[in-house]
Amino acid sequence: MGDVLRSVLVLGGVVLAIFLFGKLFTQTPDQPTADVDWRTAASGVEVRAGFVPLVPTELPEGWRATRAELIDDRWQLNVVTDVNQYVGLTQRTAAADELTKLVQDRAEGSEPDGEVEINGVTWQVFKGPDGDTTLGRAVESEIVVVTSSAQRAVVEDYVASLEPFTS
């Protein structure tokens, strides 16, 4: 039994040494997600989805787009703020009564928390269980949801910057 125990200890030591050696030479990237070109991605949405996607006029300094794509019938634009907080936009063709369903899909557990007017447009406000803020609105045959871990003022500023994409 002593030989087995010594063998296990030696093998365990070798595995631990390899692990520590690997950690010593491994670098964690500052930006673990790649940036994407959201303007190029937005350019094909209208033809494929039948609606004009909303995009920010410009991303604020230090913000990065990490996802911009049409998934099935949903335009999704995800960005990370300069302090690494998530802001995600989802837009799709749907009836106004589907807004709450999309909010729950994108920010599960969110509850209505009033309304806010941004650039003359009324947005419904939802508050998530973790304090996340979600803004949603229905316009004609489209619904839009913006959810974020950032402060509400940051989310409102982002929503104020949204405009229909033009090439």
Side-chain angles (χ1 to χ4, degrees):
M1 191 67 187
D3 288 340
V4 171
L5 185 58
R6 281 187 292 276
S7 296
V8 169
L9 287 174
V10 169
L11 288 174
V14 170
V15 169
L16 182 61
I18 292 171
F19 172 76
L20 293 175
F21 184 76
K23 288 298 255 180
L24 183 65
F25 292 102
T26 302
Q27 288 184 345
T28 302
D30 291 335
Q31 298 177 351
T33 55
D35 294 357
V36 297
D37 183 358
W38 51 275
R39 288 181 182 92
T40 300
S43 66
V45 172
E46 184 175 8
V47 173
R48 293 175 35 217
F51 61 83
V52 178
L54 292 177
V55 295
T57 50
E58 288 292 326
L59 288 177
E61 183 71 30
W63 288 39
R64 302 178 308 108
T66 58
R67 181 181 195 178
E69 62 185 329
L70 185 65
I71 302 172
D72 297 325
D73 63 344
R74 293 181 308 182
W75 163 243
Q76 291 200 193
L77 176 58
N78 297 349
V79 298
V80 177
T81 70
D82 56 345
V83 292
N84 291 324
Q85 292 178 309
Y86 167 82
V87 179
L89 177 144
T90 302
Q91 179 182 3
R92 66 179 293 216
T93 302
D97 60 355
E98 299 260 338
L99 180 61
T100 303
K101 182 179 175 183
L102 184 60
V103 167
Q104 290 304 313
D105 179 57
R106 305 309 302 155
E108 188 175 352
S110 293
E111 296 290 332
D113 192 34
E115 295 180 341
V116 64
E117 187 170 317
I118 301 172
N119 294 343
V121 177
T122 302
W123 289 76
Q124 293 181 28
V125 180
F126 298 85
K127 198 56 133 174
D130 296 331
D132 293 352
T133 300
T134 301
L135 302 180
R137 73 177 176 122
V139 178
E140 298 174 12
S141 62
E142 296 171 28
I143 54 178
V144 180
V145 169
V146 176
T147 189
S148 178
S149 59
Q151 294 177 350
R152 182 171 166 173
V154 172
V155 180
E156 290 179 9
D157 287 345
Y158 178 76
V159 167
S161 77
L162 297 176
E163 63 182 22
F165 177 77
T166 56
S167 48

